[in-house]
Amino acid sequence: MRNPSIIADSSFYICFLDDIKKPEYLKHILTHFRFVIGKIVKKEIARSPMFKKIESIINTVVDNISADENFGELLKPFFSVKEIEKGEDEVIAIAYVFNILELYFYFILDDESARHFVEINFSELKDRMYGTVGFIKLCCCKFSVFTKKMCIAIL
């Protein structure tokens, strides 16, 4: 089975970089999937003091899409101007485009209000939406990216 593309919110990256301080686990995940990152999320994770530890892999393995475009503009009718600058909005918009293109993907959102927004406004996306913990479980149980022991260590 081929692995899906993954569109992750900044909280996913920050979990590994700042919360559990295990960038090596993040690098491991990044090499097993086609990760896609927009400019807003990349800017948010670049603020992490640990970003330097993954910067080269972000620049070589992760697909930096639409460096000149703001995917959040697709959702502008739903948000105020200030909210359009959030990484969650960018992730939802990229997921929406991937869904229209019928690509194989999952997206990671941890923010409860963003998840609720997807469930209400884009219900066709909700089966592809995971939180960080749910995605780690998926990595272990469905894609064998982590052993159970590694998964438990992360959690």
Side-chain angles (χ1 to χ4, degrees):
M1 161 191 318
R2 67 182 173 89
N3 286 344
S5 294
I6 306 298
I7 309 155
D9 175 345
S10 59
S11 62
F12 170 79
Y13 298 97
I14 298 301
C15 172
F16 291 95
L17 296 176
D18 297 342
D19 296 341
I20 66 171
K21 296 183 182 356
K22 297 287 186 184
E24 63 276 11
Y25 289 145
L26 178 57
K27 288 179 182 180
H28 186 72
I29 294 173
L30 292 174
T31 60
H32 280 82
F33 298 96
R34 175 186 175 235
F35 269 79
V36 175
I37 192 168
K39 67 181 181 177
I40 296 171
V41 169
K42 187 174 181 182
K43 183 179 175 184
E44 289 175 355
I45 65 171
R47 292 185 204 129
S48 166
M50 299 278 281
F51 180 71
K52 290 285 183 203
K53 294 188 181 276
I54 63 156
E55 186 173 18
S56 65
I57 200 165
I58 290 287
N59 291 331
T60 57
V61 174
V62 176
D63 288 339
N64 289 272
I65 63 167
S66 189
D68 298 325
E69 297 294 324
N70 183 349
F71 271 94
E73 289 295 318
L74 292 172
L75 303 179
K76 197 169 189 172
F78 296 98
F79 293 116
S80 71
V81 173
K82 183 174 175 101
E83 288 178 302
I84 211 69
E85 298 171 0
K86 293 169 62 177
E88 291 90 348
D89 306 335
E90 181 178 62
V91 168
I92 295 167
I94 294 170
Y96 180 75
V97 170
F98 273 44
N99 191 58
I100 289 172
L101 297 173
E102 299 180 356
L103 299 175
Y104 179 38
F105 74 97
Y106 293 109
F107 66 108
I108 304 168
L109 285 177
D110 289 311
D111 181 81
E112 191 60 38
S113 62
R115 294 174 64 83
H116 183 69
F117 174 82
V118 169
E119 290 169 0
I120 297 298
N121 296 287
F122 301 107
S123 60
E124 68 274 16
L125 296 178
K126 67 182 180 182
D127 291 339
R128 297 174 181 267
M129 179 173 59
Y130 285 85
T132 297
V133 173
F135 182 70
I136 291 168
K137 177 185 173 190
L138 197 66
C139 284
C140 178
C141 298
K142 184 172 182 174
F143 296 105
S144 301
V145 171
F146 294 121
T147 64
K148 288 180 184 178
K149 186 176 179 180
M150 288 174 73
C151 189
I152 291 168
I154 292 167
L155 298 174

